[in-house]
Amino acid sequence: MPNMHRISLLALVPSATLAHAAVLRNRLDDTNVGLTPSMGWSSWNVAQCDAASEEYAMTTANKLSELGLKDLGYEYVNIDDCWTTKQRDGNGNLVPDPNKWPRGIRPVVDDIHAMGLKFGLYGCAGTLTCASYPGSEDHEYQDAQLLADWDVDFWKHDNCFTECPVTPPPQTCWGYPVNTEPWYAKMADAIQSVKAQKEILFNLCQWGRNEVWTWGDKYGHSWRIENDNWGDWASVVRIGSKAGEIAQYSGPGGFNDLDMLFIGNNKLTHNQERLHFGLWAIAKSPLIIGADLTTIPTSSLDILRNKDLVAINQDPLGAAATPFRPSNSPEPASGEIYPYWAGPLSNGAVVAFSGANGAGDFSVNFSEVPGLEGGEHCWKEAYSGQEGRGDSLSFSVEQDDIAVFTVTDCA
Ligand SMILES: *[C@@H]1O[C@H](CO)[C@@H](O)[C@H](O)[C@H]1NC(C)=O
């Protein structure tokens, strides 16, 4: 029964957003995975290769529960690059590094499932992963079968050491006109081929090449739209501004992936962490924590635990916010995070004011917000908890901070 979930979700979509639904053409008919952006944790931003171990996985699983993150929807414990040995075994299978996985993978997955959480692994479309462990090229079906046998819930497919006009292929093939679609199509087919045994969320880590947002939904449930988030403010601006230009491609079953979070890594200021999370949430990006949960500062944890932002991110409509231009506001500039953002929610709309270009007193009349009718509405700001009602909204935002409002009909 293809696309059953889409038909039922479309019934909820206000007519103004039907044009948005029209670009969501090719969604997979998976009914249990990827209908909202994935939420969880990944090892990479924590300690790169060193964090690809059972110890980190189990410690994190316990912390997700203990810190209340699991109850908010953070469910995936994802292990990134470097979890295998440097060679496949005699049958060509990937081998978990025995120093990092003394029990192997399956018993860890079982323990994590018993805690009500999910488990993810990482691989690569080329001959090697980005850190030079075995890649999945020409082993796609075998690797998908191994994931199903291990009951793995999530697969991130990276883009290193793939075909390239340069021989031997370099780690990355940036700057060459290469069509990356075939290798994502092949891994997607492999993952679909084990679906009767195991539904696996497929994350295309394709770095936004070949306008992946226009075709990624044929193959997976999310696709990276840009080069990596390096954890600096310039990365947040580069990726966040890009997301605003391609918001229409996100929807239930397939989402723009802005990359893993750097919140609690001592890389950004408090305001920048708030904007980073707020923007990723309203852009409907997967929310994948990249911090060590045993040492994360409470101020960062409280950003990740913001219930209103999580609710906006997980809204069943799945529509991403995009910049809009009220009267007398500046021309949008490519590569900058525009001050005004809005997007539809199943119970109203989200409006956001960004201070990335400077602090300010921002105002908007609801009649200017796309998708909202003018007149009185009720609003709540996510970080301050401040509430109000009226036909317009005014709010002060500090440099690099963000204010995010849920706007609904008043009861
Ligand atoms: C908002 O716009 C409406 C319709 O244009 C107008 O009647 C109303 O006065 C405006 N509100 C404010 C506070 O400017």
Side-chain angles (χ1 to χ4, degrees):
M1 272 189 285
N3 292 327
M4 276 303 287
H5 71 270
R6 269 190 69 199
I7 291 160
S8 55
L9 282 163
L10 283 178
L12 301 170
V13 180
S15 60
T17 58
L18 280 175
H20 163 250
V23 302
L24 310 180
R25 300 174 316 277
N26 301 309
R27 309 270 129 166
L28 299 166
D29 61 347
D30 296 333
T31 48
N32 298 310
V33 294
L35 295 182
T36 59
S38 56
M39 293 176 63
W41 172 94
S42 166
S43 57
W44 188 253
N45 293 350
V46 177
Q48 294 77 49
C49 287
D50 290 345
S53 67
E54 165 171 352
E55 197 183 329
Y56 268 96
M58 291 311 303
T59 301
T60 299
N62 281 307
K63 282 286 173 189
L64 286 173
S65 297
E66 229 176 274
L67 297 172
L69 292 161
K70 176 188 158 228
D71 290 342
L72 282 164
Y74 293 94
E75 57 179 353
Y76 288 94
V77 176
N78 291 344
I79 296 298
D80 208 277
D81 206 347
C82 315
W83 60 272
T84 67
T85 57
K86 290 275 175 132
Q87 302 291 335
R88 289 175 179 268
D89 70 13
N91 298 319
N93 283 317
L94 293 168
V95 181
D97 181 341
N99 295 316
K100 292 171 177 165
W101 305 91
R103 296 189 291 156
I105 299 289
R106 178 68 198 242
V108 179
V109 179
D110 289 345
D111 285 357
I112 284 176
H113 285 168
M115 298 169 74
L117 295 164
K118 295 177 174 172
F119 183 80
L121 282 176
Y122 161 105
C124 192
T127 52
L128 296 170
T129 70
C130 297
S132 290
Y133 291 79
S136 292
E137 188 174 318
D138 296 333
H139 292 273
E140 287 86 355
Y141 293 89
Q142 178 171 26
D143 290 352
Q145 187 57 56
L146 200 58
L147 297 177
D149 292 345
W150 288 344
D151 214 8
V152 170
D153 303 284
F154 175 109
W155 181 251
K156 169 178 171 179
H157 208 50
D158 216 337
N159 200 22
C160 285
F161 296 103
T162 52
E163 276 174 43
C164 192
V166 182
T167 316
Q171 189 205 32
T172 64
C173 189
W174 287 109
Y176 295 96
V178 172
N179 182 12
T180 61
E181 185 170 346
W183 45 87
Y184 285 92
K186 192 167 179 195
M187 192 65 200
D189 191 60
I191 282 174
Q192 290 293 310
S193 77
V194 298
K195 190 164 144 178
Q197 188 183 343
K198 180 73 189 177
E199 249 183 346
I200 298 170
L201 193 148
F202 185 34
N203 173 228
L204 283 61
C205 182
Q206 189 269 9
W207 320 329
R209 299 169 77 188
N210 313 122
E211 302 192 322
V212 61
W213 45 88
T214 64
W215 51 265
D217 63 349
K218 283 193 271 185
Y219 307 117
H221 308 93
S222 57
W223 45 85
R224 283 273 306 282
I225 62 165
E226 252 292 335
N227 203 342
D228 288 6
N229 179 5
W230 305 112
D232 56 343
W233 180 237
S235 291
V236 173
V237 173
R238 167 175 50 85
I239 302 168
S241 57
K242 176 79 194 181
E245 296 168 16
I246 53 175
Q248 69 271 29
Y249 296 102
S250 278
F255 295 94
N256 289 327
D257 177 0
L258 279 61
D259 202 4
M260 302 172 291
L261 299 163
F262 271 98
I263 291 168
N265 305 64
N266 298 311
K267 293 240 185 191
L268 300 170
T269 67
H270 184 61
N271 281 358
Q272 289 170 346
E273 287 196 344
R274 281 164 46 115
L275 184 141
H276 178 14
F277 190 69
L279 198 56
W280 265 231
I282 68 174
K284 303 292 150 87
S285 174
L287 298 177
I288 304 296
I289 299 167
D292 186 334
L293 294 181
T294 64
T295 56
I296 187 171
T298 306
S299 59
S300 300
L301 198 49
D302 286 342
I303 293 172
L304 298 169
R305 289 192 294 208
N306 188 290
K307 282 197 174 73
D308 291 335
L309 289 173
V310 168
I312 290 166
N313 179 256
Q314 295 293 302
D315 183 70
L317 199 56
T322 188
F324 73 99
R325 194 177 172 199
S327 53
N328 303 321
S329 55
E331 192 88 57
S334 187
E336 288 182 6
I337 297 174
Y338 196 67
Y340 301 90
W341 291 65
L345 296 176
S346 52
N347 65 342
V350 59
V351 172
F353 299 152
S354 156
N357 289 349
D361 295 320
F362 296 83
S363 289
V364 70
N365 189 316
F366 288 132
S367 65
E368 301 174 295
V369 176
L372 267 189
E373 304 224 346
E376 187 178 70
H377 292 280
C378 282
W379 55 264
K380 182 182 179 201
E381 199 282 316
Y383 283 122
S384 61
Q386 210 172 310
E387 296 182 74
R389 65 196 291 163
D391 65 2
S392 65
L393 179 56
S394 297
F395 212 82
S396 291
V397 180
E398 293 177 11
Q399 174 76 46
D400 293 352
D401 199 4
I402 194 170
V404 181
F405 307 87
T406 304
V407 183
T408 54
D409 288 342
C410 299

